[in-house]
Amino acid sequence: MDYKSELNELILTLVKEQASDLHLGVGAPPIIRINGELITLIQKPVLTSEDTVGFLREMVPERIFNDFVIKQELDFPFEHLGEYRLRGNAYFQKGLVSISLRLVPRPKPFEELNLPRILADISHSKQGLFLVTGPVRQGKSTTLAAMINEINMTERRHIITIEDPVEYIFENEKSIIDQREIGMDTQSFRTALRQSFRQDMDVIMLGEMRDLDTISSAVTAAETGHLVLSTLHTNSAAQTINRIIDSFPAEQQDQVRYQLSASLIGVFSQRLLPTVDGGLVPAYELLLNNTAVANLIRDDRIHEIDIIIETSREHGMIDFNRNLAELVRSGKVTLETAISHSRNPKNLEKML
């Protein structure tokens, strides 16, 4: 098999069919994901162990491939013909190589993504910490990219992104954007974040806050006059704040509560729901920091934050159930879909 030409054809199919992912595994033809559904490319041959290894060698340098054989896990970027960028992951299963590739589209505006315009206002904050949260594959990176794009198109600022791997590619418009990839441009999130203080940055985007050192440095950056955007794999605003505080030793948690109460801008928690027409639409909640929220964080009463969100619509906050109800009323999602994703289904049913 000519792996270069076959890979070229598969990626063009991915783009043409508006698919998000491509899976290459031994014993099956290539499989793509369209609007959340896996579709087998039955016109393609069943892949062998030689094929998956051949595809991977086509996408990564030999030294990276050799390192993969030893570590058995690999995240890697792949750029196709200078036009399309993919995020790849290679791994072993039953002793055989499998590959997952995700097509990374160009940043889109909030309206096209069905995201609230208030995120644009938050993007123009001069300092503070703003987090986009949710499980994996729920569009967090896409939301962050829209926020970076908003800044880039409207303000002259120095933006540094630290990612593993780089996902969206930005071109300088009004802003200067430096994109640093773990393993290629820097050794770790912690190292890159600490060095960014010496690089005259205004905005820093962390692909993920993975450990205590990174979280601590991000909070410090937000306190010292920088806008920090990042993600966490949490399910709600309250859980996000608890996760950050619980990352620290017990003797430091009171200090962290004080720091967060002063530096947090807000938390945007999102899910992607299947629509009635076969697409995907985000459902979300938005917590914005204010005096009441800051007091709850400082006083370790984070469990009361959900009540603040529910009763602060006039202040720009968005309750998850209320957003689900709007999606149902607008005919975008079914009642069954909304209920299955609600954290409080009985309350949602009362709204409808």
Side-chain angles (χ1 to χ4, degrees):
M1 182 184 294
D2 183 341
Y3 296 113
K4 184 174 184 177
S5 62
E6 183 66 17
L7 189 61
N8 176 69
E9 188 175 327
L10 287 171
I11 292 173
L12 291 178
T13 298
L14 199 65
V15 174
K16 179 183 177 182
E17 299 297 332
Q18 297 185 323
S20 59
D21 300 83
L22 169 65
H23 296 277
L24 304 172
V26 176
I31 297 170
I32 61 176
R33 186 183 292 274
I34 302 176
N35 290 330
E37 297 294 327
L38 292 174
I39 308 295
T40 300
L41 300 179
I42 56 176
Q43 77 278 17
K44 294 293 184 180
V46 172
L47 300 177
T48 66
S49 57
E50 181 183 353
D51 293 333
T52 56
V53 169
F55 280 124
L56 186 57
R57 284 181 180 273
E58 186 61 43
M59 289 184 282
V60 301
E62 192 66 19
R63 65 175 181 82
I64 299 294
F65 177 82
N66 292 336
D67 191 49
F68 162 68
V69 172
I70 296 171
K71 295 181 178 178
Q72 298 183 307
E73 311 279 354
L74 176 64
D75 284 321
F76 64 94
F78 180 65
E79 192 168 297
H80 177 256
L81 301 179
E83 186 172 2
Y84 305 113
R85 188 175 179 87
L86 298 97
R87 180 178 66 190
N89 180 269
Y91 54 96
F92 281 90
Q93 62 91 21
K94 298 179 182 176
L96 303 170
V97 173
S98 290
I99 305 167
S100 295
L101 292 165
R102 168 163 289 190
L103 183 65
V104 179
R106 297 189 182 279
K108 296 179 180 179
F110 299 110
E111 294 79 7
E112 193 172 334
L113 296 169
N114 293 300
L115 293 172
R117 188 63 194 172
I118 192 172
L119 292 180
D121 299 331
I122 294 169
S123 302
H124 298 301
S125 301
K126 297 305 179 185
Q127 69 180 73
L129 175 65
F130 186 76
L131 298 171
V132 178
T133 74
V136 296
R137 296 177 51 83
Q138 298 301 308
K140 298 185 297 296
S141 296
T142 301
T143 298
L144 279 186
M147 297 183 75
I148 294 295
N149 192 55
E150 171 72 19
I151 300 169
N152 186 32
M153 300 302 291
T154 58
E155 296 188 65
R156 294 193 59 79
R157 306 180 80 177
H158 183 202
I159 303 167
I160 295 177
T161 77
I162 306 172
E163 304 170 73
D164 183 21
V166 166
E167 297 188 33
Y168 288 83
I169 299 297
F170 299 95
E171 296 181 2
N172 292 350
E173 295 294 340
K174 289 191 173 181
S175 293
I176 302 170
I177 304 181
D178 293 321
Q179 297 186 257
R180 307 194 68 197
E181 183 168 303
I182 306 301
M184 179 180 296
D185 305 308
T186 184
Q187 293 183 352
S188 67
F189 279 100
R190 179 180 63 180
T191 300
L193 182 52
R194 288 181 174 177
Q195 290 298 315
S196 69
F197 288 99
R198 303 174 182 175
Q199 295 160 359
D200 188 35
M201 58 89 173
D202 300 299
V203 181
I204 190 152
M205 191 273 274
L206 294 168
E208 186 180 347
M209 297 201 302
R210 291 185 175 178
D211 54 39
L212 174 58
D213 284 334
T214 304
I215 292 172
S216 178
S217 297
V219 173
T220 299
E223 280 188 303
T224 54
H226 307 93
L227 176 60
V228 181
L229 308 174
S230 191
T231 71
L232 276 176
H233 296 303
T234 48
N235 295 317
S236 68
Q239 186 185 42
T240 300
I241 296 170
N242 277 325
R243 175 73 60 82
I244 293 173
I245 294 170
D246 290 344
S247 298
F248 290 81
E251 64 272 14
Q252 296 181 27
Q253 290 183 4
D254 284 344
Q255 175 63 25
V256 173
R257 288 189 188 96
Y258 179 81
Q259 288 178 288
L260 267 185
S261 70
S263 63
L264 183 70
I265 297 171
V267 180
F268 186 75
S269 298
Q270 66 180 75
R271 303 284 187 283
L272 293 179
L273 274 56
T275 61
V276 294
D277 61 1
L280 293 170
V281 67
Y284 45 79
E285 76 173 6
L286 175 63
L287 167 72
L288 295 174
N289 196 5
N290 58 20
T291 302
V293 172
N295 287 337
L296 292 180
I297 295 173
R298 276 196 303 269
D299 297 342
D300 195 16
R301 294 160 53 200
I302 296 167
H303 60 280
E304 298 178 33
I305 280 179
D306 286 344
I307 298 173
I308 297 291
I309 297 175
E310 291 173 11
T311 58
S312 300
R313 186 178 185 182
E314 68 276 14
H315 299 299
M317 299 198 206
I318 302 171
D319 173 57
F320 191 68
N321 262 356
R322 192 177 299 278
N323 183 244
L324 286 174
E326 290 173 357
L327 291 174
V328 173
R329 292 193 193 101
S330 65
K332 291 181 179 178
V333 305
T334 65
L335 176 60
E336 291 74 20
T337 295
I339 289 175
S340 69
H341 286 81
S342 174
R343 296 192 298 270
N344 189 341
K346 290 184 179 179
N347 179 262
L348 175 60
E349 289 178 331
K350 289 179 182 178
M351 290 183 177
L352 295 166

